[in-house]
């Protein structure tokens, strides 16, 4: 169980950390996605900051389990919102969002199973 927990947390941190960097450096992909969803571009750095906070929280969960639990729950909500934003504008390109959501759900589930809820 411990190996699965560590693997999923590290994988989730890598996924979300890479996405956060992409959002925060001003890469064109997040901007085009924001345009497609009707989200003002000024929110792209905010979304990147949320992803970065989730990444740090997942890793901090190794030392303070409640932070990992809260970070994973926040990422679950973030990616549910992202998938809804895609569906709202008629985009069916949600495979990436589902992979990120599944990783966040797995991190939350394994974290709770490993440490308990708090």
């Amino acid at each position: 169980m411990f190996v699965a927990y560590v693997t999923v947390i590290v994988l989730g941190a890598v996924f979300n950390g890479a996405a956060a960097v992409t959002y925060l450096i001003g890469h064109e992909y997040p901007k085009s996605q924001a345009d497609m969803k009707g989200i003002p571009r000024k929110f792209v750095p905010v979304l990147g900051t949320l992803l970065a906070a989730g990444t740090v929280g997942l890793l901090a969960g190794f030392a303070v389990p409640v932070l990992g639990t809260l970070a994973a729950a926040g990422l679950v909500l973030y990616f549910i919102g992202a998938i809804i934003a895609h569906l709202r504008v008629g985009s069916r390109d949600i495979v990436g969002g589902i992979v990120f959501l599944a990783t966040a759900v797995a991190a939350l589930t394994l974290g709770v199973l490993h440490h308990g809820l708090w």
Side-chain angles (χ1 to χ4, degrees):
M1 174 71 86
F2 179 73
V3 173
Y5 165 69
V6 170
T7 302
V8 168
I9 295 300
V10 170
L11 186 65
V14 168
F15 283 178
N16 291 295
V21 168
T22 304
Y23 276 67
L24 293 172
I25 65 171
H27 193 274
E28 191 58 35
Y29 179 74
K31 293 176 185 176
S32 67
Q33 289 293 305
D35 292 342
M36 184 258 305
K37 295 173 196 151
I39 299 169
R41 284 188 174 202
K42 68 180 180 180
F43 291 120
V44 171
V46 174
L47 296 172
T49 302
L50 291 172
L51 288 169
T55 300
V56 171
L58 286 177
L59 295 174
F62 287 127
V64 183
V66 69
L67 291 178
T69 301
L70 293 173
L75 287 169
V76 167
L77 294 174
Y78 179 96
F79 290 112
I80 288 172
I83 291 168
I84 290 170
H86 271 274
L87 296 174
R88 182 179 57 87
V89 297
S91 171
R92 299 295 182 248
D93 185 21
I94 59 173
V95 173
I98 291 172
V99 170
F100 275 81
L101 176 62
T103 305
V105 168
L108 179 60
T109 303
L110 290 172
V112 168
L113 290 174
H114 183 70
H115 295 291
L117 192 56
W118 302 111

